[in-house]
Amino acid sequence: MKSKEFIWQNLLEKVKTENQSLSLWLEGSDAVYNEADNKLNIFVKSNLHVKTLNKYKNELEDIFENTFNFKPSINIETAKESKKDISEKITIEVKQMPLPLFSSGNIPSLNANFRFNNFIIGTGNRFAHGACMSVAEAPGQSYNPLFIYGGVGLGKTHLLHAIGTYVHEKDPSKKIMVVTAEKFLYEAVQGMRDNKMEEFRDRYRSADLLLVDDIQYLQKGEKTREEFFHTFNELTNLNRQIVITSDVAPSQLEIEDRLTSRFSAGMIVDIQPPDFETRVAILYQKCKEENIKVPDNVIAFIAEHINSNIRELNGTLVTFKQLSEGKPEEMTIELAKKAIKIRNPKFEQEKKIGVDFIQTVVSDFYNIKVQEMLSKKRHENIAMARQVAMYLTRELTNYSLMQIGQYFGGKDHTTVMHAISKVDNLIKSDEKFKTEINEIINRIKK
Ligand code: ADP
Ligand code: MG
């Protein structure tokens, strides 16, 4: 039996391909397997996690059994340092996640939820997406190997599987192998131990398309790298397509030069974190998948504060959905803050004047509801309040026009620009109005 950490990582990988939402709840958790009583103790972030995961226990045990051929009893508890939890009283609705399309078919580890058509293209991933598309269109004929690298949660695995799904659907006879480098390592070690290397080699070397996720794990195993090197050479000689993902560029990998130079022989693309606009688009897409309608200002708030990891961005939306129980009247920025905080107890909002605060103060001043300001109502005083709030946001903060538009009901930047210049002109021509604006500014700055 391998070390506990190794097993756990394998299991997490497996969960990730079988059930994405379950995998989100396991993020950042740790586990200890106790052989004596066949118990797997999982330590998670919060009571909310315990509560949710307990409902998935059977599924987890099954995945464990399928991965390791034996079944422990699973116990879930919070990790010691995060005992206090703000979400104790929240009940979570667990819905059955759709299983991947090919879960038990000929390509067991391909996650059919990761597709090109649900991948949002934006800054940071446009180039990588294009390269993946051309590889999927003509495997072995464009870039080979294709090497994709970038930070955690930016869509590398999504693109990798999208290639596989695309190729599979176009030509089901193509032999596709999807594997994490860690699993490759694990299987190679087992193959060596059980004298089954021939079998292992044959399996990988018969692939038309080999998709290797998280190649950085190969840094751990020298013998396995040797094995991979030969598989790699054999496949590329036969013009079979190889796609590799990594959390760092090939040159940063601590492996032999002959391997890095092989990796660099085709095309190398990186994925950078998405900008605000792309994050907003990803959130709307997730809303569609989750079948909920979340107000634009809440989308703006989540997109503003979760900016470097798309998995976390989507996960926050799911937590928000659960907290709100799908009720529109609960879907506020306050609740979004709570969702972020549950997932990341260290989250502190930057001390600055936020758009939501300006909206509140201006709404109060004009005696309207914040909801009205965010609505599409064109009533004169509501429209005026809305324009003043946009103007003040521009004056008092450094939000971009695009961000301001999003906070005010998903308006585009020209609408914001128009509002700002209108208020600007009024201030210049109307002394009374100018005094009003100054009064509001004083209230905001108080
Ligand atoms: P990585 O492998 O780079 O750590 P993943 O591919 O697992 O990241 O992506 C994390 C999550 O974010 C997945 O649920 C994935 O579907 C989603 N995701 C990443 N990029 C995009 C995108 N451009 N559009 C839609 N969803 C995305
Ligand atoms: Mg990944």
Side-chain angles (χ1 to χ4, degrees):
M1 184 51 49
K2 304 258 72 165
S3 75
K4 138 244 141 177
E5 192 198 16
F6 198 58
I7 295 178
W8 183 233
Q9 288 310 326
N10 264 285
L11 187 70
L12 288 182
E13 275 307 322
K14 188 79 182 182
V15 171
K16 210 151 78 184
T17 59
E18 299 245 340
N19 184 331
Q20 254 185 289
S21 87
L22 176 53
S23 127
L24 280 176
W25 287 101
L26 284 172
E27 240 171 49
S29 57
D30 200 354
V32 176
Y33 172 65
N34 187 343
E35 212 160 355
D37 57 7
N38 189 32
K39 211 169 180 184
L40 182 73
N41 284 305
I42 304 179
F43 302 102
V44 297
K45 288 187 204 159
S46 72
N47 286 336
L48 179 65
H49 287 73
V50 174
K51 229 170 189 166
T52 310
L53 284 166
N54 267 321
K55 303 192 179 166
Y56 280 109
K57 223 157 139 177
N58 290 343
E59 199 171 338
L60 257 178
E61 285 172 357
D62 287 345
I63 297 177
F64 194 100
E65 186 172 35
N66 289 335
T67 316
F68 299 108
N69 292 323
F70 72 96
K71 194 169 182 166
S73 69
I74 288 181
N75 172 50
I76 301 162
E77 55 187 84
T78 49
K80 299 242 160 20
E81 65 271 25
S82 58
K83 266 277 149 58
K84 48 182 184 343
D85 180 10
I86 42 176
S87 59
E88 254 164 12
K89 289 181 204 71
I90 295 154
T91 38
I92 292 299
E93 161 218 349
V94 176
K95 86 163 195 276
Q96 201 56 42
M97 285 294 287
L99 282 176
L101 217 61
F102 318 125
S103 63
S104 58
N106 47 348
I107 313 171
S109 21
L110 198 54
N111 185 341
N113 293 324
F114 291 158
R115 296 171 167 276
F116 284 122
N117 64 13
N118 63 5
F119 187 85
I120 302 287
I121 305 165
T123 49
N125 65 28
R126 195 179 303 278
F127 192 56
H129 171 268
C132 290
M133 270 310 275
S134 31
V135 161
E137 289 283 0
Q141 292 166 47
S142 51
Y143 315 118
N144 202 12
L146 173 61
F147 191 101
I148 310 163
Y149 74 92
V152 179
L154 295 183
K156 302 181 296 294
T157 300
H158 189 129
L159 282 174
L160 190 78
H161 284 247
I163 296 174
T165 307
Y166 189 93
V167 171
H168 175 74
E169 287 179 348
K170 208 164 145 198
D171 181 357
S173 72
K174 281 260 190 304
K175 181 149 191 238
I176 301 169
M177 300 281 301
V178 201
V179 69
T180 61
E182 192 170 34
K183 181 151 173 264
F184 186 90
L185 198 147
Y186 181 73
E187 288 181 3
V189 171
Q190 291 227 314
M192 288 174 211
R193 197 191 61 188
D194 304 340
N195 276 327
K196 285 191 176 149
M197 278 320 272
E198 273 316 301
E199 215 175 277
F200 171 81
R201 283 179 191 134
D202 288 350
R203 209 144 39 85
Y204 281 101
R205 293 181 194 179
S206 62
D208 293 306
L209 172 61
L210 176 61
L211 306 171
V212 187
D213 208 359
D214 292 323
I215 198 81
Q216 70 273 6
Y217 285 114
L218 277 198
Q219 292 172 135
K220 283 188 206 160
E222 197 183 334
K223 270 236 174 72
T224 317
R225 283 205 296 279
E226 186 69 26
E227 207 45 56
F228 188 75
F229 181 69
H230 293 304
T231 305
F232 185 97
N233 286 343
E234 195 147 329
L235 288 177
T236 40
N237 285 341
L238 293 167
N239 244 355
R240 309 279 172 74
Q241 179 71 47
I242 298 177
V243 185
I244 295 169
T245 74
S246 164
D247 63 355
V248 291
S251 59
Q252 304 293 308
L253 285 168
E254 286 177 19
I255 57 177
E256 298 79 5
D257 287 347
R258 57 178 189 158
L259 255 180
T260 42
S261 74
R262 288 289 194 291
F263 292 166
S264 314
M267 164 75 96
I268 303 173
V269 291
D270 72 332
I271 303 191
Q272 294 293 330
D275 63 6
F276 179 79
E277 199 168 351
T278 310
R279 299 200 294 276
V280 166
I282 289 171
L283 284 171
Y284 281 127
Q285 141 108 2
K286 187 72 182 166
C287 286
K288 221 161 62 187
E289 279 171 22
E290 293 288 322
N291 207 4
I292 44 167
K293 193 159 174 8
V294 175
D296 304 298
N297 61 328
V298 172
I299 296 282
F301 187 84
I302 297 176
E304 181 190 336
H305 291 94
I306 311 291
N307 52 21
S308 60
N309 180 335
I310 296 171
R311 186 175 302 128
E312 193 51 32
L313 189 66
N314 284 340
T316 303
L317 190 80
V318 172
T319 305
F320 176 79
K321 175 190 173 182
Q322 290 166 334
L323 292 177
S324 71
E325 295 173 337
K327 293 182 196 137
E329 69 277 11
E330 301 279 330
M331 295 188 178
T332 59
I333 285 184
E334 271 317 302
L335 196 70
K337 275 181 206 166
K338 207 165 173 179
I340 296 174
K341 199 98 182 136
I342 285 177
R343 301 179 59 88
N344 172 14
K346 292 202 195 93
F347 172 77
E348 280 301 335
Q349 211 180 335
E350 220 181 298
K351 289 265 175 293
K352 66 174 183 188
I353 300 172
V355 185
D356 51 326
F357 182 62
I358 294 177
Q359 288 172 338
T360 309
V361 175
V362 176
S363 299
D364 274 358
F365 186 88
Y366 286 98
N367 232 333
I368 62 168
K369 295 202 183 80
V370 176
Q371 281 318 320
E372 290 178 307
M373 174 180 284
L374 302 179
S375 71
K376 300 219 165 3
K377 285 188 187 159
R378 288 168 185 278
H379 238 271
E380 203 181 328
N381 68 324
I382 294 175
M384 177 51 78
R386 190 181 295 135
Q387 287 164 342
V388 166
M390 286 182 186
Y391 169 86
L392 290 174
T393 306
R394 187 63 171 171
E395 282 294 301
L396 302 176
T397 71
N398 49 19
Y399 285 88
S400 69
L401 294 175
M402 154 77 204
Q403 286 176 312
I404 297 173
Q406 185 59 39
Y407 266 103
F408 284 84
K411 301 206 164 32
D412 72 33
H413 72 278
T414 52
T415 310
V416 180
M417 231 150 67
H418 175 76
I420 291 169
S421 75
K422 190 175 156 195
V423 173
D424 210 19
N425 286 334
L426 263 179
I427 290 174
K428 286 186 188 124
S429 61
D430 184 338
E431 271 304 316
K432 188 168 154 270
F433 183 73
K434 188 176 169 182
T435 320
E436 263 176 39
I437 297 294
N438 283 332
E439 166 60 20
I440 301 174
I441 291 176
N442 284 337
R443 289 190 194 181
I444 291 169
K445 287 193 168 163
K446 216 161 46 188

